[in-house]
Amino acid sequence: MNTLPKDPVMLLSFVNTHLRDHYPSLEEFAATYQVDAADIVSALKNIDYAYDPATNQFI
C-alpha cells in the first residue's frame, strides 16, 4: 500500500472519499491503486471499520 496513506484514519478518509466520488466498488478502487482489497479491509478493521458493499463505504 505504498501509494495510500499509512495512518489508518487518513486511509479511511481517502478510501471512503474515492469510493464515493469515483469507484463503484472496493475491488475497482484496489485494482486502480494496485493494492489488495484485503489489505485495506484489514488495516481499517484495526480501527473498527468494516466495508459495507451495499453503501460502498467503510462504516
Side-chain angles (χ1 to χ4, degrees):
M1 292 195 307
N2 323 7
T3 61
L4 300 178
K6 305 240 184 284
D7 178 86
V9 175
M10 294 300 293
L11 178 63
L12 172 66
S13 177
F14 183 85
V15 172
N16 271 349
T17 298
H18 280 75
L19 289 174
R20 180 191 68 216
D21 295 344
H22 305 289
Y23 299 97
S25 71
L26 178 60
E27 289 73 24
E28 274 195 46
F29 172 85
T32 299
Y33 281 89
Q34 299 178 342
V35 297
D36 188 344
D39 291 340
I40 297 171
V41 169
S42 177
L44 296 180
K45 184 178 181 180
N46 288 333
I47 59 168
D48 297 324
Y49 280 83
Y51 180 66
D52 177 23
T55 60
N56 192 35
Q57 67 180 350
F58 283 87
I59 53 174

